[in-house]
Amino acid sequence: MAEEKGNMLPGALAALGIVFGDIGTSPLYTLQTVLTDTGTSDRATLLGSFSLLVWTMILVVAVKYAMVVMRADNKGEGGILALFSLVGGVFGKHWYSRGTLLSAAGLFGAALLYGDGAITPAISVLSAVEGIGVVTHSLDDYILPIATIILLGIFMVQPLGTARISRVFGPVMLLWFLCMGGLGAASLLGHPGVLVGLDPVFALRFLYEHGGRSLVILGAVFLSVTGAEALYADMSHVGRPSVRLALGLVVLPMLILSYAGQTAFLMSHPGVRDNPFFAAMPHALVLPMVILATFATIIASQAIITGAFTLTRQAIQLGWFPSLNIRQTSDAEYGQIYVSVVNWLLMVVTLLIALTFRSSDALSGAYGTAVSTTMLMTTLLIFDVMRARWAWPLWKALPVALFFGAIDLAFFVANLMKIGKGGYVPLLIGLFLYIVMTTWRRGTILLRAGLAPLGEGSEKLRQRLRDKTLTRTPGEAVFLSRYESALPPIVMRHAADFNCLPERVVALNVRFETVPRVAPEHRMTVKETGDGLWQINVRFGFVEVPNLYYVLSEAREKGCSVDLDKVVFVSGNDDVVKDLKRPKMFGPRRILFGFLYRNAVRASDRFTLPRERLIEVGHQVEI
């Protein structure tokens, strides 16, 4: 047991840099936003706000995510798409069917995380740099330009990869948490009575006394837990035990001390209007803490961007997103990837958000709507996991789901009240990406159905092969197929177009499963079907990068001798057009799918195939 705990410590240190960057920088702006929305800073308000912050973190972060949601891993992988793959949601014929509701919840929740990915770097970096204003207001005009340069730099270094510098993320965040907690403890010594706010009665009384305005306050309180989803999404990098250890040993105690210290300072200095996080510390420490806070927010932003890359890869592998160019930036760390399209689009949106809202206080209105909606979607999915996967009886699963659902719904409604102040931004981003994902899925299904008739008549082709009435050209070709068949449509199309086939034909079907990784013994099946035809079916997990040269080299050991230096690859490159008789897709969605399909990464790029030995066969497919 001691050895196991010893192995967990390095993972817990890494978790501080990978998992807890967002939630760890929330004290920079959360209490200030709560008090701004409350409008007063009397003793009851301060104690009630502190109590709300503490119990929100305990219930949402520690209980819901760390104790319950993190149990629903897909063979070690987390995140809402991994959860979605667990429930096996498939869109049904009716909007109210189980499959449709679960699919909509999973996909919309995933799409909203991109909105969070655009806002988190902006609000985090702005709030850190705004600490300069506590040192001197003469530099206020430079806060936005400095923050913009930092944000630009974060995205510009992504193509270089962060494998080397990521090793210092954990130690830097540990220093940040210790300094933050230590400064909070120092302020708490001057007013230890603040700790009575740990009693949840203060939080409940505070909400009751503010009546309808409580929803506005809850919208601000929610900023303290916006990084909770990262516990689940990034746990595969360090493991569930390490995440829980870091949360219990460092993160939660230091966050509570920080909020307690800010509250104690405000009770002793009721006239202060500056950000209490920086105002509470000795003047000589403000500038060093601004610098440390800036590094912490850069690390938090890096984790969010990397999370967006990982989410994109999962969506592509699961068939909900068009293929994009994904580059591995480290040969040692699998999670270190780079997706150029996502990076540059996130950069543009993040900079536009920062330049439009101009301050963390103004941006707080736009923050939270995406995450609160994702958390609500997660609760819907986890209830299905409780019943279908964990076999919990209804009497056990329903109270747990209703308890978390009530909390999520309260924060969801609270954040909806911020739509007019910018909350519409992440919702619009999420809605757009939801439309993209569902359009891509629907289009690929219709495309597959449109190509299926081209594969008919396989028996006639086999007869021609037996009768030797079809010309066989020297050499061998690997046909990349969407079908598990020795004579898929692409082979039939090639035979019909060129009236010939190579002497050796390999139909290679690549399928991505709803599990993170496929065991080597279940990876591939190789079958000779006669007449020089071979069928290879290969399976990859949704976090794996396929390597077809490795697949073909493995197939050689099973009898399918393919000369990797001479083999020709054949893939489809079809054109999508409107079915004039019976359109199967709404006009704008068909145009969107056509655009996505034309600009998706070709097979040669996705599977790293040499272009000089690639033949593309295309047909017009009516949808």
Side-chain angles (χ1 to χ4, degrees):
M1 183 65 70
E3 182 181 354
E4 182 180 347
K5 290 183 177 180
N7 293 333
M8 286 167 54
L9 290 176
L13 181 61
L16 294 177
I18 297 173
V19 178
F20 294 106
D22 188 1
I23 198 171
T25 53
S26 58
L28 287 167
Y29 46 81
T30 299
L31 185 58
Q32 180 185 29
T33 305
V34 172
L35 295 179
T36 299
D37 289 348
T38 305
T40 58
S41 57
D42 55 83
R43 182 179 183 275
T45 298
L46 290 172
L47 290 178
S49 300
F50 171 60
S51 185
L52 268 176
L53 290 169
V54 170
W55 283 100
T56 297
M57 290 188 297
I58 291 174
L59 293 178
V60 175
V61 182
V63 178
K64 177 184 175 180
Y65 276 92
M67 293 179 61
V68 179
V69 176
M70 286 178 64
R71 288 185 57 198
D73 65 295
N74 191 338
K75 296 188 178 179
E77 291 291 328
I80 193 164
L81 278 184
L83 183 60
F84 175 52
S85 67
L86 274 180
V87 303
V90 177
F91 280 97
K93 294 182 179 180
H94 304 289
W95 67 267
Y96 52 82
S97 66
R98 169 186 173 274
T100 298
L101 293 175
L102 292 176
S103 297
L107 291 179
F108 192 52
L112 286 168
L113 292 179
Y114 287 97
D116 177 53
I119 293 179
T120 296
I123 191 173
S124 298
V125 172
L126 275 170
S127 60
V129 178
E130 283 169 354
I132 297 175
V134 178
V135 180
T136 172
H137 289 289
S138 63
L139 297 176
D140 285 353
D141 293 339
Y142 297 95
I143 290 175
L144 184 59
I146 292 172
T148 302
I149 292 172
I150 292 173
L151 288 171
L152 188 62
I154 292 172
F155 287 99
M156 293 294 287
V157 301
Q158 295 305 313
L160 304 177
T162 57
R164 294 181 180 177
I165 62 172
S166 63
R167 297 171 187 171
V168 304
F169 286 178
V172 170
M173 288 305 298
L174 177 61
L175 177 62
W176 165 254
F177 276 109
L178 293 177
C179 290
M180 180 173 61
L183 290 169
S187 297
L188 185 60
L189 291 175
H191 211 301
V194 165
L195 292 179
V196 299
L198 294 175
D199 186 345
V201 171
F202 283 88
L204 295 174
R205 183 186 302 156
F206 180 69
L207 292 176
Y208 176 77
E209 291 176 351
H210 282 81
R213 189 161 179 77
S214 295
L215 286 176
V216 177
I217 298 168
L218 282 177
V221 170
F222 185 73
L223 297 177
S224 64
V225 294
T226 51
E229 188 71 25
L231 272 73
Y232 181 46
D234 296 326
M235 70 175 182
S236 63
H237 296 289
V238 293
R240 180 169 49 208
S242 295
V243 173
R244 288 174 172 170
L245 180 63
L247 175 66
L249 198 62
V250 178
V251 177
L252 200 55
M254 296 302 106
L255 287 174
I256 292 174
L257 281 175
S258 178
Y259 287 123
Q262 292 181 54
T263 304
F265 173 79
L266 291 173
M267 291 186 72
S268 302
H269 304 78
V272 172
R273 293 293 176 265
D274 289 325
N275 186 332
F277 181 85
F278 291 106
M281 62 187 66
H283 193 75
L285 294 179
V286 173
L287 188 57
M289 281 300 291
V290 168
I291 296 173
L292 182 57
T294 302
F295 279 113
T297 55
I298 289 173
I299 292 171
S301 301
Q302 175 61 45
I304 288 290
I305 297 168
T306 302
F309 294 162
T310 302
L311 184 67
T312 302
R313 178 171 62 184
Q314 291 182 358
I316 292 172
Q317 309 292 56
L318 290 172
W320 293 101
F321 215 71
S323 297
L324 298 174
N325 186 26
I326 299 177
R327 180 165 59 86
Q328 194 80 25
T329 58
S330 170
D331 57 0
E333 299 181 35
Y334 182 79
Q336 290 285 342
I337 60 174
Y338 171 67
V339 187
S340 60
V341 173
V342 174
N343 183 64
W344 302 127
L345 286 177
L346 268 182
M347 182 189 76
V348 170
V349 176
T350 300
L351 290 176
L352 285 175
I353 288 173
L355 294 173
T356 300
F357 289 89
R358 305 183 67 84
S359 72
S360 62
D361 187 46
L363 194 52
S364 63
Y367 201 36
T369 52
V371 185
S372 63
T373 309
T374 300
M375 287 184 176
L376 185 59
M377 300 299 102
T378 299
T379 298
L380 293 175
L381 295 175
I382 201 69
F383 174 68
D384 190 81
V385 170
M386 290 176 189
R387 296 284 290 141
R389 288 274 179 168
W390 299 346
W392 283 16
L394 188 62
W395 65 264
K396 181 179 179 181
L398 188 60
V400 174
L402 288 177
F403 176 71
F404 292 141
I407 296 174
D408 293 334
L409 189 60
F411 283 122
F412 173 72
V413 174
N415 279 285
L416 286 184
M417 298 183 69
K418 301 193 293 184
I419 285 183
K421 297 180 180 179
Y424 61 88
V425 173
L427 292 180
L428 286 178
I429 295 173
L431 180 61
F432 172 73
L433 288 168
Y434 176 80
I435 292 173
V436 167
M437 290 193 287
T438 53
T439 299
W440 176 257
R441 182 71 162 211
R442 175 63 176 162
T444 52
I445 291 173
L446 292 175
L447 181 65
R448 186 185 179 99
L451 292 173
L454 296 173
E456 296 173 358
S458 58
E459 283 305 316
K460 292 182 180 179
L461 180 59
R462 278 195 176 275
Q463 190 60 48
R464 291 188 64 189
L465 291 173
R466 296 189 195 102
D467 297 342
K468 302 187 185 304
T469 58
L470 183 70
T471 304
R472 305 300 293 267
T473 59
E476 52 198 13
V478 174
F479 290 80
L480 303 182
S481 166
R482 297 184 179 94
Y483 302 82
E484 294 186 2
S485 167
L487 285 174
I490 191 170
V491 175
M492 303 290 293
R493 289 154 57 194
H494 185 280
D497 291 344
F498 298 99
N499 198 31
C500 66
L501 278 178
E503 291 177 339
R504 184 188 298 271
V505 172
V506 178
L508 176 58
N509 170 258
V510 178
R511 189 176 71 183
F512 291 96
E513 302 292 341
T514 57
V515 295
R517 297 172 182 84
V518 174
E521 60 270 21
H522 303 304
R523 171 84 60 198
M524 177 173 53
T525 60
V526 179
K527 183 168 121 180
E528 184 179 10
T529 61
D531 304 310
L533 303 178
W534 288 79
Q535 179 183 344
I536 300 177
N537 298 324
V538 59
R539 304 160 63 219
F540 290 98
F542 62 77
V543 301
E544 295 182 289
V545 178
N547 185 329
L548 295 193
Y549 271 97
Y550 175 77
V551 168
L552 292 174
S553 65
E554 288 287 303
R556 287 169 59 88
E557 298 180 6
K558 297 186 178 183
C560 183
S561 299
V562 176
D563 189 341
L564 298 180
D565 295 325
K566 296 180 181 179
V567 67
V568 174
F569 295 90
V570 184
S571 69
N573 182 22
D574 305 290
D575 189 22
V576 177
V577 296
K578 178 182 179 181
D579 187 339
L580 298 177
K581 295 180 180 179
R582 191 178 179 183
K584 304 176 184 66
M585 207 172 198
F586 181 55
R589 292 191 77 186
R590 185 182 62 256
I591 295 172
L592 174 60
F593 175 71
F595 172 80
L596 295 172
Y597 188 72
R598 287 191 300 272
N599 290 276
V601 170
R602 303 276 181 91
S604 58
D605 296 319
R606 186 178 187 187
F607 298 129
T608 321
L609 303 177
R611 285 186 173 273
E612 65 274 10
R613 285 192 276 122
L614 177 71
I615 299 174
E616 293 182 323
V617 180
H619 283 75
Q620 284 191 339
V621 182
E622 296 180 343
I623 63 173

